[in-house]
Amino acid sequence: MAGMSPLFRRRSEPRARLVTLVRKPGCHLCDDAQVVVEKVCGDLGVPWEPKDITEDRELYDRYWEQIPVVLIDGEQHTFWRVNEERLRRALTE
């Protein structure tokens, strides 16, 4: 469409994002984090996945001291406590 700036067109198409919650069974902080991730991702229509750290050696070696860990597109966003507003901002920038 003529007259439509590329900037406008680009902003109207959100990038495909994926949020990963690295967690372990029976972890209360992980449960709290999952509530926030589900809420924010649900509001924004962003897919998310849980990963069990006890079933993934690489995740275990990297993040065991920090779980729960939230990754956005494979990059660490935060750990332990998930801030809803900060996660929302990171996914809408």
Side-chain angles (χ1 to χ4, degrees):
M1 190 171 166
M4 204 174 178
S5 82
L7 184 67
F8 179 80
R9 226 176 14 253
R10 200 161 44 237
R11 286 201 57 197
S12 65
E13 298 168 17
R15 284 182 299 167
R17 312 303 296 267
L18 174 64
V19 174
T20 304
L21 175 63
V22 182
R23 55 165 305 155
K24 69 175 181 179
C27 161
H28 295 298
L29 273 182
C30 300
D31 294 339
D32 293 346
Q34 185 164 324
V35 168
V36 175
V37 168
E38 283 179 342
K39 180 176 192 293
V40 172
C41 289
D43 289 350
L44 298 176
V46 173
W48 75 277
E49 60 180 7
K51 288 262 178 102
D52 183 342
I53 199 166
T54 64
E55 295 176 357
D56 187 315
R57 186 75 220 185
E58 187 184 336
L59 290 176
Y60 183 97
D61 290 343
R62 188 177 300 178
Y63 298 121
W64 181 254
E65 299 290 319
Q66 300 180 327
I67 53 170
V69 175
V70 175
L71 310 176
I72 298 176
D73 303 330
E75 297 290 318
Q76 185 168 343
H77 167 71
T78 194
F79 63 98
W80 293 339
R81 298 202 178 276
V82 184
N83 179 287
E84 181 180 335
E85 287 312 309
R86 186 167 168 260
L87 179 58
R88 193 178 295 275
R89 271 199 315 274
L91 290 171
T92 53
E93 284 173 344

